[in-house]
Amino acid sequence: MKLATYLLLLVCAAPRLGAQDYGESESKIVALEKAWNQAYKLGDSKSLDSLLDDSVVLINDDGSIQTKAEFLHSLKAASTSQDQQVSPESMTVHMHGNTVAVAAGVFQAKGVDHGKRYVRRERFVDTWVYKNGKWVCVATNATPVVH
C-alpha cells in the first residue's frame, strides 16, 4: 500500500473527534509521526504535504527555520544526501484538551551524505492540531543529541 493511501485511510478511518478519547488520539499521533518518518525517508513530498499545516514552523537541527514550501522543496534538492532509515527510539504524546497534541522523543537517522555514511540522533518536539477534520503538524523542532 502506498504511503499516501495509508495516510488517507488512517485519517479517514478515525472516529469523529467528539468520540475520541485521549488514548485514541495519542495512538493516532504516534502513527502520524511514524508515517512522517517513512515519508521523509522516501522523499514523499505528497504525503508530507498532507501531514504539515500550510503555516507550519519547521526549526532545523542547525537552528534555521523553514516554511512548508522550503521544506518540501529541500526534499527534491537533497540528491547528495539519502536517509536510509529514520526511526523513533522513544516518543511520548501529551494531549492538551482534545485538539492539541505535543509529541516529544528521540529519533535516529542513518544514511549516506556525499558518499559518507552517517548515524545521528536528534531530540524532537512536534505540535499537532486537530483542524478541519484531521491532525496536522503546526510546529516542529529537532536538536542533535550529543554523546
Side-chain angles (χ1 to χ4, degrees):
M1 179 183 308
K2 286 189 173 185
L3 184 60
T5 305
Y6 170 75
L7 288 172
L8 182 62
L9 288 173
L10 183 67
V11 170
C12 292
R16 294 282 177 227
L17 186 59
Q20 284 181 275
D21 64 20
Y22 287 157
E24 287 180 55
S25 296
E26 290 170 1
S27 296
K28 174 81 153 219
I29 297 302
V30 169
L32 290 169
E33 287 283 346
K34 290 179 180 180
W36 179 341
N37 289 335
Q38 185 68 11
Y40 183 75
K41 179 183 105 173
L42 297 173
D44 184 351
S45 59
K46 185 176 180 180
S47 294
L48 288 165
D49 183 45
S50 71
L51 291 170
L52 303 175
D53 188 65
D54 288 340
S55 63
V56 66
V57 176
L58 296 124
I59 302 174
N60 296 309
D61 59 3
D62 64 358
S64 64
I65 297 175
Q66 285 182 305
T67 65
K68 180 179 178 178
E70 291 168 338
F71 173 70
L72 295 176
H73 180 73
S74 73
L75 293 176
K76 296 174 187 166
S79 59
T80 60
S81 176
Q82 179 186 10
D83 285 326
Q84 296 170 342
Q85 178 184 355
V86 180
S87 57
E89 293 179 3
S90 64
M91 184 183 341
T92 57
V93 176
H94 305 274
M95 297 301 303
H96 298 274
N98 57 2
T99 59
V100 176
V102 176
V106 174
F107 72 86
Q108 178 174 295
K110 296 179 183 179
V112 178
D113 187 16
H114 292 92
K116 185 177 178 184
R117 294 196 172 280
Y118 66 85
V119 176
R120 71 177 190 273
R121 294 177 68 230
E122 295 184 12
R123 186 167 310 280
F124 68 91
V125 176
D126 296 335
T127 303
W128 296 83
V129 173
Y130 194 80
K131 184 176 176 183
N132 300 323
K134 70 176 196 168
W135 287 100
V136 290
C137 185
V138 296
T140 182
N141 183 14
T143 303
V145 176
V146 182
H147 296 52

